[in-house]
């Protein structure tokens, strides 16, 4: 785990906030006023976060919140889940916990993602999915809408299904990885 190489980025291509968030200028952040980043979160190039989608009626903004030490990979798409109820089309909030790593190319429409969660590359996380703490979603997994992934479990496949229980040390391992990745994500010398 501590053999992670330093990941260099071009300083001018990232905006760094007071709370240590690093957001690529090549990412699309729509409705930034409705997106909350907890701090020390990295939003990679060509990621798309849709905070501009609204509930029915004016002033009903939908909030997407990400906790601390979240890593959003290149080309990820994050948008709030939606459904039609009694003829009204509504979006609903998306809450993502601390120490969540979302792999490159994944599409996420979950309602809730807990703390210490790893989502692999090229995954589809269906609308209103709930992923509990310390879970892992393998690369190329498709979770259908309304799936509930229990804590400390690995899901894989298409459709995604339970594969095995994860060790009790998952929380420490994921937390160590996200902190190490953040600390090794350094501007290249110019």
């Amino acid at each position: 785990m501590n053999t992670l190489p330093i990941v260099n980025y071009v300083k001018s291509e990232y905006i760094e906030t007071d709370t240590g968030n690093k957001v690529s200028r090549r990412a699309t952040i729509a409705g930034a006023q409705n997106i909350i980043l907890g701090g020390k979160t990295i939003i990679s190039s060509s990621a798309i976060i849709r905070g501009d989608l609204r509930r029915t009626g004016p002033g009903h903004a939908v909030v997407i919140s990400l906790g601390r030490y979240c890593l959003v990979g290149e080309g990820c798409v994050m948008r709030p889940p939606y459904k039609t109820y009694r003829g009204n089309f509504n979006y609903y909030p998306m809450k993502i916990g601390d120490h969540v790593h979302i792999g490159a190319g994944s599409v996420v429409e979950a309602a809730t993602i807990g703390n210490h969660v790893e989502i692999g590359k090229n995954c589809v996380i269906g609308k209103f999915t709930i992923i509990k703490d310390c879970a892992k979603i393998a690369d190329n997994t498709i979770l259908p809408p309304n799936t509930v992934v229990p804590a400390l479990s690995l899901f894989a496949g298409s459709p995604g299904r339970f594969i095995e229980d994860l060790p009790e040390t998952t929380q420490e391992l994921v937390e160590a990885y996200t902190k190490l990745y953040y600390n090794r994500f350094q501007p290249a010398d110019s």
Side-chain angles (χ1 to χ4, degrees), residues 16-38:
E16 187 163 353
T17 68
D18 293 344
T19 53
N21 297 310
K22 296 177 182 181
V23 180
S24 171
R25 293 181 189 275
R26 295 183 181 173
T28 302
I29 310 293
Q33 69 276 13
N34 302 324
I35 298 169
I36 299 166
L37 302 179

Side-chain angles (χ1 to χ4, degrees), residues 53-190:
L53 305 172
R54 301 187 166 277
R55 288 179 172 228
T56 308
H60 289 91
V62 171
V63 175
I64 296 177
S65 66
L66 287 88
R68 295 172 52 76
Y69 290 102
C70 289
L71 311 173
V72 178
E74 289 192 14
C76 282
V77 177
M78 300 175 70
R79 59 181 172 247
Y82 62 87
K83 68 181 172 187
T84 303
Y85 179 70
R86 294 189 177 172
N88 291 326
F89 184 84
N90 280 313
Y91 286 96
Y92 294 83
M94 176 189 290
K95 183 172 183 355
I96 297 171
D98 297 336
H99 303 284
V100 174
H101 180 207
I102 301 171
S106 289
V107 177
V108 178
E109 291 185 278
T112 308
I113 297 175
N115 300 312
H116 307 95
V117 170
E118 287 182 272
I119 296 173
K121 296 178 179 148
N122 303 313
C123 292
V124 176
I125 309 300
K127 294 188 298 259
F128 297 104
T129 291
I130 296 172
I131 301 175
K132 303 282 182 129
D133 293 347
C134 302
K136 181 173 182 173
I137 311 301
D139 292 351
N140 306 308
T141 297
I142 298 176
L143 293 180
N146 304 306
T147 301
V148 176
V149 176
L152 290 168
S153 61
L154 170 64
F155 268 52
S158 174
R161 63 191 186 286
F162 176 80
I163 302 299
E164 64 183 4
D165 289 318
L166 295 174
E168 292 290 329
T169 56
T170 297
Q171 177 176 335
E172 291 81 16
L173 292 171
V174 173
E175 187 166 325
Y177 175 80
T178 57
K179 285 182 174 178
L180 184 64
Y181 188 95
Y182 180 86
N183 291 331
R184 297 184 74 78
F185 191 75
Q186 300 291 327
D189 296 333
S190 358

Side-chain angles (χ1 to χ4, degrees), residues 39-57:
K40 299 193 174 176
T41 286
I42 299 171
I43 310 292
S44 301
S45 148
S46 32
I48 299 170
I49 302 179
R50 297 292 307 270
D52 61 331
L53 305 172
R54 301 187 166 277
R55 288 179 172 228
T56 308

